[in-house]
Short mmCIF file of all heavy atoms in Angstrom, two decimals:
data_model
loop_
_atom_site.label_atom_id
_atom_site.label_comp_id
_atom_site.label_asym_id
_atom_site.label_seq_id
_atom_site.Cartn_x
_atom_site.Cartn_y
_atom_site.Cartn_z
N ALA A 1 -14.89 5.65 0.63
CA ALA A 1 -15.48 5.59 1.97
C ALA A 1 -14.44 5.77 3.04
O ALA A 1 -14.56 6.48 4.00
CB ALA A 1 -16.33 4.31 2.19
N ARG A 2 -13.31 5.09 2.80
CA ARG A 2 -12.18 5.15 3.71
C ARG A 2 -11.62 6.57 3.70
O ARG A 2 -11.27 7.12 4.84
CB ARG A 2 -11.05 4.11 3.34
CG ARG A 2 -9.81 4.18 4.23
CD ARG A 2 -10.08 3.92 5.62
NE ARG A 2 -10.51 2.57 5.88
CZ ARG A 2 -10.77 2.12 7.10
NH1 ARG A 2 -10.67 2.90 8.15
NH2 ARG A 2 -11.21 0.86 7.20
N ARG A 3 -11.39 7.09 2.55
CA ARG A 3 -10.89 8.52 2.52
C ARG A 3 -11.73 9.51 3.23
O ARG A 3 -11.38 10.39 3.89
CB ARG A 3 -10.55 8.95 1.07
CG ARG A 3 -9.46 8.27 0.45
CD ARG A 3 -8.98 8.90 -0.87
NE ARG A 3 -9.94 8.70 -1.90
CZ ARG A 3 -9.92 7.75 -2.80
NH1 ARG A 3 -8.93 6.84 -2.77
NH2 ARG A 3 -10.88 7.53 -3.69
N GLU A 4 -13.13 9.27 3.03
CA GLU A 4 -14.09 10.11 3.73
C GLU A 4 -14.04 9.92 5.20
O GLU A 4 -14.20 10.86 5.99
CB GLU A 4 -15.54 9.91 3.19
CG GLU A 4 -16.63 10.69 3.87
CD GLU A 4 -16.41 12.15 3.72
OE1 GLU A 4 -15.74 12.63 2.80
OE2 GLU A 4 -16.95 12.82 4.72
N ARG A 5 -13.81 8.69 5.66
CA ARG A 5 -13.65 8.44 7.06
C ARG A 5 -12.43 9.08 7.62
O ARG A 5 -12.49 9.67 8.75
CB ARG A 5 -13.52 6.87 7.24
CG ARG A 5 -13.11 6.40 8.61
CD ARG A 5 -14.12 6.62 9.62
NE ARG A 5 -13.75 6.21 10.96
CZ ARG A 5 -14.33 6.57 12.07
NH1 ARG A 5 -15.52 7.20 12.09
NH2 ARG A 5 -13.91 6.18 13.29
N TRP A 6 -11.34 9.11 6.97
CA TRP A 6 -10.13 9.84 7.38
C TRP A 6 -10.48 11.35 7.63
O TRP A 6 -9.96 11.90 8.57
CB TRP A 6 -8.99 9.64 6.33
CG TRP A 6 -8.39 8.34 6.46
CD1 TRP A 6 -8.64 7.32 7.28
CD2 TRP A 6 -7.46 7.73 5.48
NE1 TRP A 6 -7.88 6.14 7.03
CE2 TRP A 6 -7.19 6.44 5.85
CE3 TRP A 6 -6.78 8.26 4.42
CZ2 TRP A 6 -6.18 5.64 5.25
CZ3 TRP A 6 -5.86 7.42 3.67
CH2 TRP A 6 -5.61 6.16 4.11
N HIS A 7 -11.14 11.92 6.65
CA HIS A 7 -11.55 13.28 6.77
C HIS A 7 -12.41 13.54 7.96
O HIS A 7 -12.20 14.51 8.71
CB HIS A 7 -12.25 13.81 5.48
CG HIS A 7 -12.72 15.23 5.61
ND1 HIS A 7 -11.94 16.37 5.53
CD2 HIS A 7 -14.05 15.68 5.87
CE1 HIS A 7 -12.65 17.42 5.75
NE2 HIS A 7 -13.89 17.10 5.88
N ARG A 8 -13.38 12.65 8.21
CA ARG A 8 -14.30 12.86 9.31
C ARG A 8 -13.43 12.69 10.71
O ARG A 8 -13.76 13.41 11.68
CB ARG A 8 -15.34 11.76 9.35
CG ARG A 8 -16.41 12.10 8.26
CD ARG A 8 -17.75 11.29 8.58
NE ARG A 8 -17.57 9.85 8.75
CZ ARG A 8 -17.62 8.98 7.80
NH1 ARG A 8 -17.78 9.27 6.57
NH2 ARG A 8 -17.45 7.73 8.16
N VAL A 9 -12.44 11.80 10.67
CA VAL A 9 -11.60 11.67 11.85
C VAL A 9 -10.93 12.97 12.17
O VAL A 9 -10.82 13.41 13.29
CB VAL A 9 -10.71 10.56 11.82
CG1 VAL A 9 -9.64 10.54 12.81
CG2 VAL A 9 -11.42 9.21 11.74
N ALA A 10 -10.34 13.60 11.08
CA ALA A 10 -9.64 14.86 11.32
C ALA A 10 -10.59 15.94 11.74
O ALA A 10 -10.26 16.80 12.55
CB ALA A 10 -8.91 15.26 10.02
N ALA A 11 -11.72 16.00 11.14
CA ALA A 11 -12.69 17.07 11.44
C ALA A 11 -13.19 16.88 12.88
O ALA A 11 -13.33 17.83 13.63
CB ALA A 11 -13.96 16.98 10.58
N SER A 12 -13.47 15.66 13.41
CA SER A 12 -13.87 15.41 14.71
C SER A 12 -12.76 15.76 15.65
O SER A 12 -13.04 16.36 16.74
CB SER A 12 -14.25 13.91 14.91
OG SER A 12 -14.58 13.63 16.24
N ALA A 13 -11.52 15.46 15.38
CA ALA A 13 -10.43 15.85 16.18
C ALA A 13 -10.33 17.38 16.34
O ALA A 13 -9.96 17.88 17.39
CB ALA A 13 -9.13 15.20 15.70
N ALA A 14 -10.62 18.09 15.28
CA ALA A 14 -10.46 19.47 15.31
C ALA A 14 -11.59 20.12 16.16
O ALA A 14 -11.41 21.04 16.88
CB ALA A 14 -10.62 20.11 13.81
N GLU A 15 -12.83 19.41 16.04
CA GLU A 15 -13.93 19.90 16.89
C GLU A 15 -13.65 19.87 18.29
O GLU A 15 -13.86 20.67 19.18
CB GLU A 15 -15.12 19.17 16.46
CG GLU A 15 -15.76 19.32 15.19
CD GLU A 15 -16.77 18.37 14.71
OE1 GLU A 15 -16.97 17.38 15.45
OE2 GLU A 15 -17.39 18.49 13.55
N GLN A 16 -13.02 18.60 18.72
CA GLN A 16 -12.73 18.29 20.11
C GLN A 16 -11.63 19.14 20.68
O GLN A 16 -11.59 19.52 21.89
CB GLN A 16 -12.43 16.84 20.26
CG GLN A 16 -13.67 15.99 20.00
CD GLN A 16 -14.84 16.07 21.00
OE1 GLN A 16 -14.57 16.30 22.20
NE2 GLN A 16 -15.95 16.09 20.48
N SER A 17 -10.62 19.40 19.83
CA SER A 17 -9.42 20.10 20.37
C SER A 17 -9.49 21.64 20.27
O SER A 17 -8.56 22.30 20.78
CB SER A 17 -8.18 19.65 19.45
OG SER A 17 -8.25 20.10 18.12
N GLY A 18 -10.56 22.17 19.73
CA GLY A 18 -10.66 23.66 19.64
C GLY A 18 -10.12 24.33 18.42
O GLY A 18 -10.11 25.52 18.36
N ARG A 19 -9.65 23.43 17.53
CA ARG A 19 -9.05 24.09 16.29
C ARG A 19 -10.18 24.54 15.37
O ARG A 19 -11.25 23.85 15.32
CB ARG A 19 -8.17 23.08 15.51
CG ARG A 19 -6.90 22.68 16.23
CD ARG A 19 -6.12 21.78 15.31
NE ARG A 19 -5.54 22.51 14.17
CZ ARG A 19 -4.80 21.90 13.25
NH1 ARG A 19 -4.50 20.62 13.33
NH2 ARG A 19 -4.45 22.53 12.18
N SER A 20 -9.95 25.53 14.62
CA SER A 20 -10.90 26.04 13.63
C SER A 20 -10.55 25.67 12.25
O SER A 20 -11.02 26.12 11.21
CB SER A 20 -11.22 27.52 13.74
OG SER A 20 -9.99 28.27 13.69
N VAL A 21 -9.50 24.85 12.09
CA VAL A 21 -8.97 24.40 10.81
C VAL A 21 -8.88 22.84 10.82
O VAL A 21 -8.34 22.27 11.82
CB VAL A 21 -7.53 24.96 10.48
CG1 VAL A 21 -6.96 24.40 9.25
CG2 VAL A 21 -7.63 26.48 10.33
N VAL A 22 -9.38 22.28 9.82
CA VAL A 22 -9.33 20.80 9.67
C VAL A 22 -8.09 20.55 8.77
O VAL A 22 -8.02 21.05 7.60
CB VAL A 22 -10.55 20.15 9.00
CG1 VAL A 22 -10.37 18.66 8.78
CG2 VAL A 22 -11.75 20.44 9.88
N PRO A 23 -7.14 19.75 9.17
CA PRO A 23 -5.97 19.47 8.32
C PRO A 23 -6.35 18.76 7.00
O PRO A 23 -7.28 18.04 6.94
CB PRO A 23 -5.04 18.61 9.23
CG PRO A 23 -5.79 18.15 10.40
CD PRO A 23 -7.03 19.03 10.45
N GLU A 24 -5.53 19.07 6.01
CA GLU A 24 -5.64 18.36 4.71
C GLU A 24 -5.08 17.01 4.75
O GLU A 24 -4.03 16.79 5.10
CB GLU A 24 -4.99 19.22 3.66
CG GLU A 24 -5.00 18.53 2.29
CD GLU A 24 -4.10 19.23 1.22
OE1 GLU A 24 -3.42 20.28 1.61
OE2 GLU A 24 -4.09 18.78 0.13
N VAL A 25 -5.92 16.04 4.42
CA VAL A 25 -5.52 14.61 4.34
C VAL A 25 -5.47 14.26 2.82
O VAL A 25 -6.48 14.13 2.19
CB VAL A 25 -6.36 13.63 5.16
CG1 VAL A 25 -5.85 12.22 5.02
CG2 VAL A 25 -6.61 14.07 6.56
N ARG A 26 -4.24 14.17 2.33
CA ARG A 26 -4.09 13.92 0.87
C ARG A 26 -4.34 12.51 0.53
O ARG A 26 -4.33 11.56 1.35
CB ARG A 26 -2.65 14.41 0.52
CG ARG A 26 -2.46 15.98 0.71
CD ARG A 26 -1.14 16.46 0.25
NE ARG A 26 -1.11 17.88 0.27
CZ ARG A 26 0.08 18.55 0.09
NH1 ARG A 26 1.17 17.96 -0.17
NH2 ARG A 26 -0.01 19.90 0.15
N HIS A 27 -4.40 12.35 -0.78
CA HIS A 27 -4.46 10.95 -1.40
C HIS A 27 -3.10 10.13 -1.17
O HIS A 27 -2.10 10.77 -1.04
CB HIS A 27 -4.77 10.98 -2.81
CG HIS A 27 -6.23 11.39 -3.14
ND1 HIS A 27 -7.28 10.52 -3.23
CD2 HIS A 27 -6.90 12.64 -3.28
CE1 HIS A 27 -8.45 11.16 -3.47
NE2 HIS A 27 -8.16 12.36 -3.51
N VAL A 28 -3.27 8.85 -1.03
CA VAL A 28 -2.14 8.02 -0.92
C VAL A 28 -1.19 8.11 -2.17
O VAL A 28 -1.75 8.06 -3.33
CB VAL A 28 -2.53 6.59 -0.64
CG1 VAL A 28 -1.33 5.67 -0.60
CG2 VAL A 28 -3.30 6.49 0.71
N GLY A 29 0.05 8.26 -2.01
CA GLY A 29 0.93 8.37 -3.12
C GLY A 29 2.28 7.55 -2.82
O GLY A 29 2.52 7.33 -1.72
N THR A 30 3.00 7.28 -3.85
CA THR A 30 4.37 6.70 -3.60
C THR A 30 5.28 7.75 -3.01
O THR A 30 5.01 8.94 -3.03
CB THR A 30 4.90 6.23 -4.98
OG1 THR A 30 5.19 7.44 -5.83
CG2 THR A 30 3.98 5.28 -5.65
N LEU A 31 6.43 7.28 -2.58
CA LEU A 31 7.39 8.26 -1.95
C LEU A 31 7.91 9.19 -3.03
O LEU A 31 7.98 10.46 -2.75
CB LEU A 31 8.54 7.50 -1.37
CG LEU A 31 9.71 8.31 -0.76
CD1 LEU A 31 9.10 9.19 0.35
CD2 LEU A 31 10.78 7.44 -0.13
N SER A 32 8.13 8.78 -4.24
CA SER A 32 8.67 9.64 -5.30
C SER A 32 7.60 10.73 -5.64
O SER A 32 7.87 11.90 -5.90
CB SER A 32 9.04 8.88 -6.50
OG SER A 32 10.04 7.93 -6.27
N GLU A 33 6.28 10.21 -5.76
CA GLU A 33 5.21 11.21 -6.05
C GLU A 33 5.14 12.29 -4.98
O GLU A 33 4.93 13.37 -5.31
CB GLU A 33 3.90 10.44 -6.21
CG GLU A 33 3.83 9.57 -7.37
CD GLU A 33 2.65 8.68 -7.47
OE1 GLU A 33 2.00 8.42 -6.32
OE2 GLU A 33 2.26 8.14 -8.50
N SER A 34 5.26 11.79 -3.72
CA SER A 34 5.07 12.72 -2.57
C SER A 34 6.16 13.81 -2.55
O SER A 34 6.02 14.98 -2.25
CB SER A 34 4.90 12.01 -1.31
OG SER A 34 3.80 11.12 -1.34
N ILE A 35 7.41 13.23 -2.85
CA ILE A 35 8.56 14.06 -2.81
C ILE A 35 8.43 15.12 -4.01
O ILE A 35 8.67 16.39 -3.81
CB ILE A 35 9.85 13.36 -3.11
CG1 ILE A 35 10.18 12.52 -1.73
CG2 ILE A 35 11.02 14.26 -3.37
CD1 ILE A 35 10.42 13.21 -0.60
N SER A 36 7.97 14.70 -5.15
CA SER A 36 7.75 15.58 -6.26
C SER A 36 6.77 16.69 -5.91
O SER A 36 6.97 17.81 -6.42
CB SER A 36 7.23 14.74 -7.47
OG SER A 36 7.03 15.59 -8.64
N ALA A 37 5.70 16.30 -5.23
CA ALA A 37 4.67 17.34 -4.82
C ALA A 37 5.32 18.40 -3.92
O ALA A 37 4.76 19.56 -3.91
CB ALA A 37 3.53 16.70 -4.18
N LEU A 38 6.29 18.05 -3.17
CA LEU A 38 6.93 19.06 -2.29
C LEU A 38 7.65 20.17 -3.12
O LEU A 38 7.77 21.33 -2.57
CB LEU A 38 7.87 18.32 -1.24
CG LEU A 38 7.33 17.49 -0.16
CD1 LEU A 38 8.38 16.89 0.64
CD2 LEU A 38 6.36 18.30 0.71
N GLY A 39 8.26 19.77 -4.24
CA GLY A 39 9.14 20.65 -4.87
C GLY A 39 10.53 20.61 -4.39
O GLY A 39 10.79 19.97 -3.46
N PRO A 40 11.38 21.42 -5.00
CA PRO A 40 12.82 21.32 -4.49
C PRO A 40 13.03 21.93 -3.12
O PRO A 40 12.19 22.77 -2.73
CB PRO A 40 13.44 22.30 -5.56
CG PRO A 40 12.37 23.15 -6.09
CD PRO A 40 11.12 22.35 -6.09
N PRO A 41 13.89 21.44 -2.41
CA PRO A 41 14.19 21.94 -1.01
C PRO A 41 14.57 23.36 -1.01
O PRO A 41 15.28 23.88 -1.91
CB PRO A 41 15.32 20.96 -0.45
CG PRO A 41 15.98 20.49 -1.69
CD PRO A 41 14.90 20.39 -2.75
#
């Protein structure tokens, strides 16, 4: 429910600001997991 709420907040902000793209809000992860998902610099 909280993750869905985050998505709705992003969607609502896109609606109000004129954007036609809703940003991706990813699942919570550790710093190491998030760095790994980025790949090498």
Side-chain angles (χ1 to χ4, degrees):
R2 173 62 67 180
R3 286 193 290 267
E4 177 58 28
R5 169 69 182 169
W6 288 351
H7 173 75
R8 290 201 305 270
V9 168
S12 177
E15 291 169 356
Q16 294 294 322
S17 64
R19 291 185 67 181
S20 57
V21 172
V22 177
E24 175 189 359
V25 182
R26 294 182 174 174
H27 286 271
V28 176
T30 65
L31 179 56
S32 295
E33 290 169 343
S34 300
I35 292 295
S36 178
L38 289 178

